[in-house]
Amino acid sequence: WNKVELRLSTHSAGGITGPVEDALRAIGGVADVSRAADTLFRIAVADNADPTDELVASAVRNGWGLYQLSPAQTSLEDVFVNLTTREAS
């Protein structure tokens, strides 16, 4: 899976209604969603999928105030787990 980060405007964060995670999971090609902060969501994207257009459309449709949509940065912990898991196999 590839990962992207979706950040919403801090001005709209208090006005977000309904479960954002559920709405994002309903988009084709989205494998999983986790909320990393009040306005930051990490989205796992299925292989060979590109839900970018639908992510943007959903943010507009729901009035979420999309601030940023970008590839997720891999953390040092993710790199370590990936390397040690490969070596153990």
Side-chain angles (χ1 to χ4, degrees), residues 8 16-26 33 35 41 58 62 64:
L8 304 178
I16 296 172
T17 58
V20 175
E21 292 94 333
D22 290 343
L24 293 172
R25 280 189 195 97
V33 177
R35 187 183 289 241
F41 298 86
S58 186
N62 289 294
W64 293 338

Side-chain angles (χ1 to χ4, degrees), residues 1 3 21 23 28 38 41 43 55-56 64 66 68 76 79-80 84:
W1 291 340
K3 293 184 180 180
E21 292 94 333
D38 287 343
F41 298 86
I43 302 166
L55 288 168
V56 172
W64 293 338
L66 180 62
Q68 181 180 20
L76 187 55
V79 172
F80 175 77
T84 56

Side-chain angles (χ1 to χ4, degrees), residues 4-29:
V4 295
E5 291 182 343
L6 179 130
R7 185 177 302 273
L8 304 178
S9 168
T10 55
H11 298 293
S12 66
I16 296 172
T17 58
V20 175
E21 292 94 333
D22 290 343
L24 293 172
R25 280 189 195 97
I27 296 171

Side-chain angles (χ1 to χ4, degrees), residues 38-87:
D38 287 343
T39 61
L40 177 63
F41 298 86
R42 292 208 171 93
I43 302 166
V45 178
D47 290 336
N48 300 318
D50 183 5
T52 305
D53 291 342
E54 187 55 32
L55 288 168
V56 172
S58 186
V60 171
R61 187 171 45 252
N62 289 294
W64 293 338
L66 180 62
Y67 179 72
Q68 181 180 20
L69 181 63
S70 61
Q73 299 296 317
T74 303
S75 71
L76 187 55
E77 179 182 4
D78 291 338
V79 172
F80 175 77
V81 169
N82 191 7
L83 288 173
T84 56
T85 304
R86 281 191 198 160
E87 290 177 8

